[in-house]
Amino acid sequence: WFLSKGVPERQLVVTGQPRFDALGRFRERLLSRPTDAGNDQPRIVVATSPIRREIDSRVIRLISAGLIPFQKQIQPIMKLHPGYGTPEFFASLVRDDGLDWQIIRHCDLHELLSGARAVITTQSTVGLEAIALGKPVIIIDLPGIPEAIPYRQYNSAIMAGNADELSGAIQMILDDNEKLQDIKNSARQFIKDYLYHLDGRATERVRELIVAEIAANNKEPKAVAYAKI
């Protein structure tokens, strides 16, 4: 982005995004946890995004229709955006689909994602965080939803534009289809380019850069880039 605006490359320093430091630290802790096989139904997390109510309705109804064939196999969990929409509105969209929905607004998001079998969203950064935690992500791809994050460009998520495509994606994930490996491989480069080093130290790198610039009294200040894209 900076390069496209004419900032010389010599003035750029890539640090990673401080807002994702907590995610990096959580991921490190997750790697040291014992694997819990469990016998619970696979959890499918649906993360809502603040778009427009009319689009929200289309998205949730599509997801509902796509999940109905699996109503005896999965536990759907709808994670509402913290500052948008009401539980009553979203509950009204899925009231008659026969699925045993859990609808929540506030929770430990990283813990929720770590226990998911798959995550469904539109253009929320929740999808980005889920990919960083190694979870398959399905992006609902409908007209009117801006592509703010390049999931499609990187082939880092499964795109679903209708209920049948969503059902096919869920079946692929439940079957652990070999096609998922291609997406996982693409996701590694996506995370590297979008989040740089997800090691929980981005804030420290920014601080060190600021201190070094002040100490050097640098007449050619640096522009901090959180990621490569």
Side-chain angles (χ1 to χ4, degrees):
W1 184 88
F2 282 109
L3 292 175
S4 70
K5 301 300 181 182
V7 177
E9 188 172 354
R10 68 178 182 276
Q11 290 181 240
L12 286 174
V13 179
V14 180
T15 61
Q17 296 202 32
R19 65 173 291 191
F20 291 116
D21 277 354
L23 173 62
R25 291 190 290 268
F26 179 84
R27 190 168 74 158
E28 290 180 0
R29 294 197 301 272
L30 195 62
L31 292 174
S32 63
R33 287 185 185 178
T35 302
D36 181 14
N39 294 312
D40 294 338
Q41 289 180 311
R43 297 176 182 174
I44 307 298
V45 173
V46 175
T48 66
S49 301
I51 310 176
R52 297 195 308 270
R53 178 162 288 208
E54 180 268 332
I55 294 180
D56 289 334
S57 297
R58 289 166 55 204
V59 168
I60 297 302
R61 289 195 171 105
L62 184 158
I63 293 172
S64 172
L67 295 183
I68 284 175
F70 306 96
Q71 60 182 273
K72 295 182 179 180
Q73 300 173 247
I74 63 170
Q75 170 62 65
I77 301 173
M78 193 183 305
K79 169 64 176 71
L80 304 185
H81 187 277
Y84 177 79
T86 65
E88 292 77 17
F89 166 69
F90 286 100
S92 71
L93 301 175
V94 297
R95 182 170 293 129
D96 301 320
D97 65 10
L99 293 162
D100 183 21
W101 284 95
Q102 291 183 26
I103 300 178
I104 57 179
R105 184 187 298 280
H106 301 292
C107 68
D108 185 320
L109 177 61
H110 297 155
E111 287 288 354
L112 177 65
L113 296 179
S114 70
R117 184 67 173 273
V119 175
I120 306 171
T121 187
T122 52
Q123 283 290 313
S124 170
T125 56
V126 172
L128 177 64
E129 294 175 88
I131 290 172
L133 294 175
K135 301 300 177 178
V137 170
I138 303 170
I139 300 297
I140 301 302
D141 184 27
L142 291 177
I145 302 177
E147 292 197 25
I149 301 174
Y151 296 113
R152 187 197 310 272
Q153 175 185 336
Y154 276 82
N155 189 36
S156 58
I158 305 168
M159 312 302 290
N162 56 53
D164 288 340
E165 290 178 356
L166 176 58
S167 294
I170 292 294
Q171 191 64 64
M172 181 192 305
I173 291 167
L174 294 178
D175 292 344
D176 199 18
N177 190 291
E178 60 183 17
K179 292 180 181 179
L180 286 177
Q181 191 57 50
D182 291 337
I183 295 174
K184 291 178 181 178
N185 291 339
S186 300
R188 294 190 188 100
Q189 188 63 46
F190 172 65
I191 292 300
K192 182 179 179 182
D193 285 356
Y194 208 87
L195 296 180
Y196 190 51
H197 293 315
L198 194 59
D199 56 4
R201 297 186 60 247
T203 302
E204 183 180 342
R205 283 190 286 272
V206 173
R207 183 191 66 80
E208 290 174 350
L209 176 62
I210 293 172
V211 170
E213 289 293 299
I214 293 173
N217 192 23
N218 201 320
K219 295 181 180 179
E220 189 179 63
K222 298 291 190 297
V224 175
Y226 289 153
K228 294 183 179 180
I229 56 176

